[in-house]
């Protein structure tokens, strides 16, 4: 359906700044990937415009232009052609068409002007504010396409400054500065003192569990008893109906004997890692990590590629780098929230704002725990398996994909590489997701 610019007679439409929500959603691209791109571009453009700042009246126009910048009617429809003819033909050579030939829907004039200037970019537009808004829209579009492309090759968004420099000469210096100011305001350096947990006890427990694969009941009970909270939760889990308990177990030693060595080790691993994600705003990450732990353990048994206990641990800690977002200043946290609302996946926001993502930061944190290097590497590449030889990174990527948590932009090359590395077919992956039980999550909830 073609979209028309407002005529002089259509004063109500010409005066309005916003398209009503129901009309706007009907104009969004039907392709989900393209619609997601438009939402992200709107989010980026709003941040850049706020850093300029653009006059408040221009903000809703910019946001809506970003959402509609792939609308084919605007690009190739009658309205666009009329606008071009109006601009190109000598004065008086363009006759306004009769309203009968058009749809009743008319876009606000400012919006049409901005989209026209965006299509003409980098040719500058005469109106100062429209020119600034069209450059912001072009930059936001370029930035999102650049990050999308990086998801398809093996790179992260390494250096935003290089991207900004590439735009020199095409945009005004003020827009370039606004772009710098809007993002990368907080290049992240890991400060272990600001992590929301004391890592000493956890490090010790994990170290002991990692060193001795075979342990007697007595030795394992001694490990569990090092932390009173972990001891209590282990006894509580042993008494739960899930392990056939009858509320008669009163000591860690009895709990380990009742649960068995393997189940006790699994539970101890999870209980050792849980305090890292104990705060209320990390609860959803913990639930996802438990899901991943179960998935990876099943995957390990099925594909016979990795040790199930190692897989379990890897699942529990794979997103430990997301602790970093707990340590950023409040203003950066608010920026994270706004971009996430605009459909930007978490790795996208982290790269843009922190210059690193939770995979890199997680590898740095795990190095502090002195976990084996292959685990650190798996976490480092768990969103870019095609860039690594790590089988564990590929297994983690498949888990992230299967969990549908959408922590990164979709990438066929990475998915193909992960499936090939782990010798897993897409059908096997789907079947594994269907069969997996959730007993571990249930046990942890009662522990
Ligand atoms: Fe675009
Ligand atoms: Fe994850
Ligand atoms: Fe992740």
């Amino acid at each position: 359906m073609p979209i028309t610019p407002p005529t002089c007679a259509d004063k109500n439409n010409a005066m309005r700044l916003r398209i009503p929500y129901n009309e706007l959603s009907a104009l969004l691209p039907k392709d989900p990937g393209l619609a997601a791109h438009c939402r992200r571009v709107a989010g980026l453009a709003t941040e850049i415009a706020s850093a300029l700042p653009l006059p408040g009246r221009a903000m809703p126009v910019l946001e809506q232009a970003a959402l509609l910048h792939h609308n084919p009617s605007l690009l190739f429809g009658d309205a666009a052609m009329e606008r071009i003819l109006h601009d190109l033909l000598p004065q008086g050579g363009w006759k306004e068409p009769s309203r009968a030939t058009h749809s009743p829907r008319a876009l606000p004039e400012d919006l049409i002007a901005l989209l026209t200037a965006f299509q003409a970019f980098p040719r500058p537009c005469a109106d100062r504010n429209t020119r600034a808004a069209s450059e912001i829209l072009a930059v936001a579009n370029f930035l999102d396409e650049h990050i999308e492309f990086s998801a398809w090759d093996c790179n992260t968004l390494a250096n935003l400054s290089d991207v900004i420099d590439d735009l020199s000469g095409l945009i005004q210096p003020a827009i370039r500065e606004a772009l710098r100011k809007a993002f990368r305001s907080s290049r992240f350096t890991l400060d272990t003192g600001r992590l929301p947990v004391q890592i000493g006890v956890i490090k010790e427990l994990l170290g002991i569990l990692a060193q001795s694969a075979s342990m007697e009941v007595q030795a394992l009970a001694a490990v569990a008893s090092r932390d009173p909270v972990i001891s209590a939760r282990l006894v509580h889990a042993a008494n739960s109906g899930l392990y056939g308990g009858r509320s008669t177990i009163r000591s860690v030693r009895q709990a380990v004997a009742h649960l068995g060595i393997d189940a006790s080790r699994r539970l101890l691993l999870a209980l050792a890692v849980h305090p890292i994600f104990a705060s209320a705003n990390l609860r959803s990450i913990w639930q996802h990590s438990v899901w991943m732990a179960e998935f990876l353990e099943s995957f390990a048994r099925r594909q016979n590629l990795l040790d199930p206990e190692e897989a379990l641990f890897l699942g529990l800690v794979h997103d430990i780098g997301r602790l970093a977002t707990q340590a950023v200043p409040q203003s950066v946290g608010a920026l994270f929230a706004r971009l996430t609302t605009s459909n930007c996946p978490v790795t996208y926001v982290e790269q843009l704002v922190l210059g690193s993502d939770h995979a890199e930061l997680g590898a740095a944190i795990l190095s502090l725990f002195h976990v084996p290097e292959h685990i650190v590497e798996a976490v480092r590449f768990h969103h870019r398996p095609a860039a690594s030889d790590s089988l564990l990174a590929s297994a983690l990527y498949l888990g992230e994909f299967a969990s549908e948590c959408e922590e990164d932009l979709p990438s066929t090359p990475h998915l193909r590489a992960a499936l090939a590395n782990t010798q897993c077919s897409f059908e096997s992956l789907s079947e594994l997701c269907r069969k997996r039980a959730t007993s571990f999550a249930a046990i942890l909830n009662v522990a």
Side-chain angles (χ1 to χ4, degrees), residues 288-289 292 318-319 322 358 382-383 396 400 403 405 407:
H288 163 67
S289 301
M292 286 286 283
H318 78 286
D319 276 341
R322 293 185 66 183
H358 69 266
H382 82 271
H383 285 288
L396 276 175
E400 295 280 36
S403 77
C405 269
E407 291 177 21

Side-chain angles (χ1 to χ4, degrees), residues 16-36:
R16 65 183 187 168
L17 273 177
R18 280 180 182 274
I19 306 171
Y21 179 77
N22 59 340
E23 284 185 32
L24 184 71
S25 51
L27 294 172
L28 287 174
K30 298 291 170 264
D31 174 66
L34 201 53

Side-chain angles (χ1 to χ4, degrees), residues 421-432:
N421 288 345
T422 54
Q423 298 170 352
C424 178
S425 68
F426 195 79
E427 291 70 31
S428 307
L429 183 64
S430 311
E431 193 190 337
L432 192 61

Side-chain angles (χ1 to χ4, degrees), residues 34 37-38 41 66 69-70 118 141-142 144-145:
L34 201 53
H37 159 73
C38 291
V41 171
H69 78 282
H70 278 277
F118 166 70
N141 183 48
F142 175 83
D144 187 72
E145 284 177 354

Side-chain angles (χ1 to χ4, degrees), residues 190 192 195 199 203 363-371:
L190 186 66
T192 53
L195 291 179
I199 62 172
K203 195 166 107 180
I365 293 172
L366 285 176
S367 296
L368 298 173
F369 288 112
H370 299 297
V371 301

